[in-house]
């Protein structure tokens, strides 16, 4: 793990945006801190009969614009501060997209890579028992994040409905389609990012069919590999890495085969026809588009000078540190910041909430069209803020998001 504290990074970003917006002291203080934080210890029965204690969090950063919204992450490196930062970024993300939602995030300190399905189900259900009173369709709506998926959401939704004796599938999003999930949610994060890349290519006047590389090959990374070529009608994927290593082929890697290999073996390493390369060097290749799709702080002062990609589309949350951000900007690279580039997921989550409320479901084409409208509009709103405020893209996106949340807090009479 890096030495950066993500929450301090997020707070610094809020402060910079607040300064540009001339926010008063009370509003600034309100936006610097989560409104509610829940911390709990969960006893969970393991397969060997032992009971193990797990630490869980749910943080509702701000709910002035609507119910808190954001994923639940299962990860060994989780801390209260990573969850605070991620909850904050969800707040700015939903605001940049102009969704009627606030921001939240949850997490459990655990390593799902060493756990059975039954143990994961026990943790998921224990988590919901701890937070059932504090979440809900109108309060706080979780979704998957790193190392959680639609199955996790299905267990969690079931536990919630059992405890409350209600039918309320909209309490979680990115559920399996058979039990209230929506079309188009699984690749929504990647699709949102690729839509931004398409718009960026138009703005920059560059050909969208160049080379691209992906750092991180979880759900967002895998889907980006597929959606990039589909939506842009081409492009050559030349390098990918995941937590076990990196691979490279200057002639191109076949995304479909690579995803199959990852699902079968658990890693991209050893993909036939590829050469192994160091994990971090995937970030430093001379490509047209780079998708950071792993964890926080991947682009930092140690590697930023080597980064050459023309467009950097941040599918991960918080992949770039503030010092690296300034250097990317000075180098003239086009950064599509996380709170915009990775917002496709939560946008389709919002569509899922709407459909669950009405028990009436849209087809994939409708989901894709509405997603495209929302993301394209947000992309150009941020472009305008870059020009108007003369700031780098992340700060511009933060200014858009923070202004909207501040306004909601003021209208409610909170500050
Ligand atoms: N975990 C995803 C994110 O970071 C999705 C959140 C959601 O759909 O609520 O944006």
């Amino acid at each position: 793990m890096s030495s950066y504290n993500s929450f301090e990074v997020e707070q610094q970003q809020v402060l910079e945006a607040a300064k540009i917006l001339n926010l008063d002291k009370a509003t600034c203080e309100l936006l610097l801190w989560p409104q509610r934080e829940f911390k709990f210890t969960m006893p969970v029965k393991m397969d060997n009969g032992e009971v193990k204690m797990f630490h869980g969090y749910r943080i509702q950063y701000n709910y002035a614009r609507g119910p808190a919204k954001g994923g639940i992450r299962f990860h060994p490196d989780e801390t209260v501060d990573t969850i605070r930062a991620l909850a904050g970024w969800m707040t700015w993300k939903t605001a940049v997209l102009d969704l009627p939602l606030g921001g939240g995030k949850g997490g459990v300190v655990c390593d799902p890579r060493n756990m059975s399905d039954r143990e994961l189900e026990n943790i998921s259900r224990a988590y919901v028992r701890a937070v059932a009173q504090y979440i809900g369709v109108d309060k706080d709506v979780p979704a998957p994040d790193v190392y959680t998926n639609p199955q996790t959401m299905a267990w969690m939704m079931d536990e919630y409905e059992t405890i409350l004796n209600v039918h309320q599938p909209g309490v979680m999003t990115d559920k399996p389609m058979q039990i209230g999930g929506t079309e188009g949610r699984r690749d929504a994060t990647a699709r949102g990012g690729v839509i931004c890349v398409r718009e960026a290519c138009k703005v920059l006047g560059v050909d969208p069919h160049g080379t691209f590389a992906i750092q991180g090959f979880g759900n967002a990374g895998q889907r980006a590999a597929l959606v990039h070529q589909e939506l842009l009608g081409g492009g050559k994927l030349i390098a990918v890495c995941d937590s076990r290593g990196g691979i490279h082929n200057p002639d191109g890697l076949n995304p479909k085969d690579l995803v199959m290999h990852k699902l079968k073996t658990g890693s991209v390493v050893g993909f036939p026809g590829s050469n192994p390369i160091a994990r971090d060097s995937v970030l430093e290749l001379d490509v047209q588009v780079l998708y950071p799709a792993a964890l926080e702080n991947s682009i930092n002062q140690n590697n930023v000078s080597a980064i050459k990609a023309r467009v950097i589309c941040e599918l991960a949350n918080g992949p770039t540190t503030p010092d690296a951000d300034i250097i990317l900007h000075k180098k003239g690279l086009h950064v599509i910041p996380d709170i915009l580039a990775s917002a496709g997921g939560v946008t389709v989550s919002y569509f899922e909430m709407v459909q669950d409320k009405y028990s009436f479901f849209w087809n994939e084409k409708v989901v894709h069209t509405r997603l495209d409208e929302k993301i394209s509009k947000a992309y150009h709103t941020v472009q305008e803020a870059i020009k108007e405020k003369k700031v780098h893209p992340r700060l511009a996106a933060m200014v858009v998001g923070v202004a909207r949340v501040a306004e909601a807090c003021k209208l409610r009479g909170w500050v």
Side-chain angles (χ1 to χ4, degrees):
M1 274 305 259
S2 76
S3 55
Y4 293 91
N5 177 318
S6 295
F7 184 43
E8 284 170 15
V9 170
E10 188 264 347
Q11 286 187 312
Q12 191 180 325
Q13 293 166 347
V14 175
L15 276 176
E16 281 174 32
K19 209 163 130 200
I20 288 177
L21 292 163
N22 271 324
L23 291 188
D24 59 87
K25 202 164 160 266
T27 308
C28 189
E29 187 76 12
L30 176 63
L31 302 186
L32 277 176
W33 291 92
Q35 290 192 270
R36 285 188 187 143
E37 301 187 341
F38 304 101
K39 157 76 183 63
F40 32 91
T41 310
M42 304 174 286
V44 174
K45 252 193 205 108
M46 307 306 281
D47 289 349
N48 63 6
E50 270 174 34
V51 174
K52 223 172 133 182
M53 292 305 148
F54 288 91
H55 297 276
Y57 302 92
R58 184 72 193 170
I59 294 184
Q60 298 164 352
Y61 195 98
N62 190 288
Y63 39 86
R65 289 174 47 86
K69 183 82 193 84
I72 296 171
R73 179 178 284 199
F74 286 179
H75 200 280
D77 295 331
E78 227 43 83
T79 67
V80 64
D81 276 352
T82 54
I83 309 277
R84 283 171 169 161
L86 291 159
W89 286 324
M90 285 308 303
T91 306
W92 318 125
K93 194 186 292 194
T94 55
V96 169
L97 265 290
D98 209 7
L99 306 175
L101 298 170
K105 202 86 176 194
V108 177
V109 186
C110 67
D111 194 346
R113 288 166 296 189
N114 305 324
M115 284 158 64
S116 71
D117 275 357
R118 186 162 38 156
E119 290 169 340
L120 287 171
E121 178 174 351
N122 289 347
I123 289 200
S124 304
R125 290 186 186 276
Y127 185 94
V128 172
R129 286 196 296 278
V131 297
Q133 309 307 318
Y134 312 113
I135 61 171
V137 287
D138 296 320
K139 292 184 204 164
D140 179 2
V141 179
D145 199 79
V146 175
Y147 294 141
T148 48
N149 55 38
Q151 178 61 74
T152 324
M153 293 305 111
W155 291 324
M156 288 188 169
M157 178 199 77
D158 180 70
E159 190 68 21
Y160 179 83
E161 290 190 338
T162 305
I163 292 169
L164 272 76
N165 190 24
V166 289
H167 177 65
Q168 256 165 31
V171 68
M172 308 279 161
T173 59
D174 200 351
K175 299 177 294 293
M177 298 252 295
Q178 300 85 336
I179 48 172
T182 176
E183 293 277 1
R185 176 63 183 84
R186 278 284 76 200
D187 72 4
T189 303
R191 188 169 292 273
V194 179
I195 292 167
C196 290
V197 168
R198 184 193 67 204
E199 295 305 301
C201 288
K202 284 187 208 158
V203 168
L204 300 170
V206 302
D207 174 16
H209 301 141
T211 52
F212 67 107
I214 302 174
Q215 178 241 6
F217 215 56
N219 179 51
Q222 289 171 34
R223 304 293 175 144
L226 302 167
V227 174
H228 182 103
Q229 290 185 334
E230 177 213 310
L231 207 84
L232 303 181
K236 197 196 286 177
L237 175 62
I238 63 161
V240 172
C241 69
D242 60 21
S243 60
R244 299 201 198 149
I247 58 165
H248 181 228
N249 183 349
D251 296 327
L253 302 155
N254 181 303
K256 263 195 197 131
D257 295 345
L258 181 57
V259 169
M260 292 295 285
H261 177 83
K262 165 88 183 182
L263 295 177
K264 217 163 71 197
T265 67
S267 174
V268 296
V269 174
F271 179 60
S274 69
N275 307 311
I277 52 167
R279 224 160 38 127
D280 287 350
S281 56
V282 170
L283 292 168
E284 300 169 5
L285 293 172
D286 191 1
V287 287
Q288 187 141 308
V289 183
L290 171 67
Y291 292 98
L295 294 175
E296 301 90 63
N297 305 326
S298 305
I299 300 179
N300 52 53
Q301 59 196 15
N302 302 327
N303 58 15
V304 66
S305 58
I307 290 177
K308 307 172 188 65
R310 184 78 188 85
V311 177
I312 299 165
C313 178
E314 297 184 341
L315 292 178
N317 288 303
T320 307
T321 61
D323 41 3
D325 236 339
I326 293 165
I327 299 172
L328 290 177
H329 187 55
K330 282 195 181 137
K331 286 170 71 156
L333 308 182
H334 186 90
V335 175
I336 307 169
D338 53 357
I339 56 171
L340 168 64
S342 73
V346 72
T347 302
V348 177
S349 276
Y350 160 61
F351 296 162
E352 184 170 331
M353 289 168 71
V354 172
Q355 293 169 79
D356 283 338
K357 223 168 213 170
Y358 289 95
S359 272
F360 184 74
F361 291 85
W362 315 342
N363 63 33
E364 190 180 58
K365 199 161 155 246
V366 172
V367 173
H368 285 174
T369 309
R370 289 190 170 149
L371 174 64
D372 204 321
E373 277 167 18
K374 279 269 177 209
I375 296 279
S376 304
K377 185 163 178 211
Y379 177 86
H380 291 287
T381 303
V382 172
Q383 286 304 304
E384 276 159 32
I386 293 172
K387 278 190 222 132
E388 195 198 314
K389 306 282 183 196
K390 299 191 173 46
V391 291
H392 62 79
R394 182 174 335 275
L395 188 47
M398 282 297 291
V399 166
V400 172
V402 168
R404 286 178 178 160
V405 177
E407 200 185 2
C409 293
K410 276 200 192 345
L411 286 168
R412 284 175 179 275
W414 289 352
V415 279

